[in-house]
């Protein structure tokens, strides 16, 4: 492992987010709105998407540069065929000590056991409401809560560590904060509230639709008192809290009102093999061409290192400082 690789703000490279597809079976209004990602939308052709062998090779190289944790994402990662094969390959890489997946959960019930058997450690399931009508409105009328809840339980039964992500949008699902908190408290699953972000260029984000960390905690704390917890490790994205009565944990990911760029150690590789050094980057660095040009490992390592060494991204901090945004990559390309 290379401990000395740091970016221009002294941040190491520790986490790799690997997007395995740009396609999704949902059309969440804040991520892939149907008006933009409709039937005519041109998704990536198959041959421009990295193969599992290419992803494995890249991950092995990233591990040599300090990456210890890998998160598989999308689009919807469970749409990628034979995903357990990729998990197996990544689990065998020296230095990788944690593999997680972020999924909308709709296809999880059938796949949970195979993913666990392949070496997956953790799964984060996105669910924005328990109210059927609200959930359908938010996911573009593509799925129901029952399917996702079955996926969550199947993951827990398979022995995967489970977390739930809820993106909170004022006027859309802010009234669901408390019912979600109560439900997952009773199920003993960690629920994390995510401030609605201005990712991509298609969701029409407005600051006044953000429900900030303080308000989220107030709403829950008034009904079920909370106390703060120490971070598990430096650079953890969620601030952690627990209920005073039963100790069940919750988290808040406050990228808008309380950003955390100073400890961001995450690199993202899109399904087409572009390296993004920030969720809000304008463009990525093409690693696929390098891979397919027959480049040796050392050359690819040098290329990734030189990209990381000059990294200066701190988009969410700059947003708070009032700096205007440029054109950003879409979330469904790089997976959050
Ligand atoms: N399809 C999978 C899913 O939904 O879990 C993985 C990809 S999705 C892009 C990853 C995460 O990003 C999800 O938890 C989703 O809710 C979150 N997300 C998408 N758009 C967002 C936005 N505008 N603000 C905050 N979180 C967002
Ligand atoms: Fe699909 Fe996930 Fe984006 Fe929703 S958030 S549209 S499930 S990629
Ligand atoms: Fe990291 Fe960019 Fe998010 Fe800041 S805005 S935490 S640099 S991904």
């Amino acid at each position: 492992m290379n401990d000395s690789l740091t970016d221009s703000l002294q941040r190491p490279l520790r986490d790799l987010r690997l997007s395995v597809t740009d396609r999704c079976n949902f059309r969440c209004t804040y991520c892939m709105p149907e008006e933009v990602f409709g039937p005519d939308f041109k998704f990536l052709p198959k041959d421009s998407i990295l193969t599992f062998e290419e992803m494995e090779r890249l991950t092995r190289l990233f591990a040599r540069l300090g990456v210890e944790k890998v998160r598989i994402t999308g689009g919807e990662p469970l749409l990628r065929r034979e995903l357990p094969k990729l998990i197996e390959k990544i689990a065998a890489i020296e230095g990788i000590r944690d593999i997680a997946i972020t999924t909308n959960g709709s296809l999880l019930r059938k796949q949970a056991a195979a993913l666990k058997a392949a070496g997956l450690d953790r799964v984060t399931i996105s669910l924005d409401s328990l109210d059927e009508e609200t959930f359908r409105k938010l996911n573009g009328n593509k799925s129901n809560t029952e399917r996702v809840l079955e996926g969550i339980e199947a993951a827990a039964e398979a022995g995967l560590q489970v977390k739930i992500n809820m993106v909170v949008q004022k006027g859309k699902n802010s009234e669901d904060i408390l019912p979600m908190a109560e439900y997952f408290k009773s199920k003993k699953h960690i629920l994390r509230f995510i401030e609605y972000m201005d990712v991509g260029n298609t969701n029409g984000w407005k600051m006044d639709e953000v429900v900030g960390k303080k308000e989220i905690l107030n709403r829950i704390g008034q009904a079920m008192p909370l106390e703060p917890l120490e971070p598990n490790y430096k650079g953890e994205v969620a601030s952690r809290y627990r209920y005073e009565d039963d100790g069940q944990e919750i988290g808040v990911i406050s990228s808008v009102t309380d950003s955390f760029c100073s400890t961001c150690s995450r690199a993202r590789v899109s399904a087409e093999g572009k390296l993004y050094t920030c969720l809000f980057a304008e463009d990525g660095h093409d690693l696929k061409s390098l891979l397919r040009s027959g480049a040796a490992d050392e050359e690819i390592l040098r290329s990734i290192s030189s990209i990381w060494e000059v990294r200066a991204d701190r988009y969410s901090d700059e947003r708070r400082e009032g700096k205007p945004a440029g054109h950003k990559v879409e979330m469904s390309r790089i997976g959050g």
Side-chain angles (χ1 to χ4, degrees):
M1 187 177 99
N2 180 339
D3 267 327
S4 58
L5 179 64
T6 49
D7 70 8
S8 72
L9 302 173
Q10 302 310 314
R11 298 169 296 188
L13 171 55
R14 288 281 178 269
D15 308 82
L16 176 63
R17 301 205 167 191
L18 212 48
S19 171
V20 295
T21 178
D22 61 331
R23 289 163 200 260
C24 187
N25 54 342
F26 282 19
R27 287 292 176 272
C28 300
T29 47
Y30 52 72
C31 177
M32 294 177 80
E34 181 83 55
E35 311 84 78
V36 180
F37 295 85
D40 297 331
F41 187 82
K42 296 263 174 303
F43 288 98
L44 295 169
K46 191 162 178 259
D47 61 356
S48 64
I49 290 185
L50 294 187
T51 63
F52 285 170
E53 287 67 29
E54 288 168 331
M55 289 181 188
E56 177 192 19
R57 182 172 178 213
L58 273 184
T59 308
R60 180 169 289 118
L61 297 176
F62 272 99
R64 283 178 59 186
L65 296 173
V67 163
E68 299 169 343
K69 296 166 75 175
V70 177
R71 180 170 291 273
I72 309 287
T73 178
E76 174 45 44
L78 299 187
L79 288 178
R80 180 82 189 237
R81 289 176 62 178
E82 303 189 313
L83 192 65
K85 286 195 177 158
L86 176 66
I87 307 281
E88 234 168 67
K89 289 178 191 293
I90 293 176
I93 295 174
E94 198 186 321
I96 300 298
R97 55 174 184 81
D98 182 69
I99 311 175
I101 194 167
T102 306
T103 169
N104 63 32
S106 62
L107 305 168
L108 190 56
R109 186 169 62 87
K110 280 200 177 137
Q111 299 192 34
L115 290 165
K116 170 72 184 168
L120 187 70
D121 298 296
R122 302 186 292 123
V123 59
T124 302
I125 299 127
S126 309
L127 178 64
D128 296 330
S129 177
L130 290 166
D131 178 79
E132 208 52 55
E133 201 188 324
T134 309
F135 184 51
R136 280 193 177 273
K137 261 192 202 157
L138 287 171
N139 71 35
N141 201 17
K142 300 293 181 198
S143 191
N144 56 45
T145 54
E146 192 187 343
R147 238 178 123 170
V148 179
L149 293 174
E150 280 174 7
I152 293 172
E153 291 321 312
E157 274 164 29
L160 291 161
Q161 288 180 50
V162 167
K163 284 186 187 141
I164 318 299
N165 273 359
M166 171 185 180
V167 176
V168 184
Q169 255 182 298
K170 194 166 284 174
K172 300 264 171 67
N173 65 342
S174 34
E175 295 314 311
D176 299 272
I177 294 173
L178 204 51
M180 286 280 288
E182 284 166 348
Y183 179 83
F184 287 107
K185 182 173 188 282
S186 76
K187 292 283 176 188
K188 304 206 176 313
H189 292 317
I190 299 177
L191 171 60
R192 299 188 314 175
F193 299 90
I194 306 183
E195 291 180 352
Y196 172 45
M197 294 185 288
D198 53 337
V199 287
N201 313 284
T202 55
N203 66 6
W205 183 89
K206 292 191 217 73
M207 184 67 201
D208 59 15
E209 290 180 334
V210 177
V211 183
K213 172 166 133 180
K214 271 195 193 144
E215 185 179 340
I216 294 171
L217 290 173
N218 270 341
R219 282 194 186 211
I220 301 170
Q222 277 171 11
M224 300 179 286
L226 289 164
E227 58 194 13
L229 285 170
E230 289 298 314
N232 282 316
Y233 53 87
K234 191 169 181 264
E236 188 171 31
V237 292
S239 359
R240 302 162 63 226
Y241 300 82
R242 71 174 169 213
Y243 295 109
E244 283 179 10
D245 62 355
D246 62 1
Q248 175 59 41
E249 181 181 331
I250 63 163
V252 185
I253 302 179
S254 54
S255 9
V256 179
T257 65
D258 188 13
S259 51
F260 35 76
C261 297
S262 64
T263 55
C264 178
S265 54
R266 290 175 290 281
R268 296 174 157 87
V269 173
S270 67
E272 60 185 327
K274 281 188 172 185
L275 168 61
Y276 291 86
T277 54
C278 178
L279 182 53
F280 300 91
E282 288 181 26
D283 203 1
H285 306 264
D286 180 12
L287 297 180
K288 182 179 66 191
S289 300
L290 204 56
L291 284 169
R292 294 187 182 175
S293 71
D297 284 357
E298 296 309 318
E299 189 182 342
I300 302 175
L301 284 169
R302 268 199 305 279
S303 171
I304 299 172
S305 301
S306 59
I307 293 165
W308 194 262
E309 275 161 3
V310 298
R311 173 184 188 244
D313 306 275
R314 47 187 297 280
Y315 176 85
S316 290
D317 285 356
E318 286 172 350
R319 182 207 300 109
R320 283 205 296 153
E321 291 158 11
K323 194 176 161 194
H327 190 87
K328 296 161 282 179
V329 61
E330 288 304 320
M331 184 82 145
S332 51
R333 274 283 160 99
I334 57 171

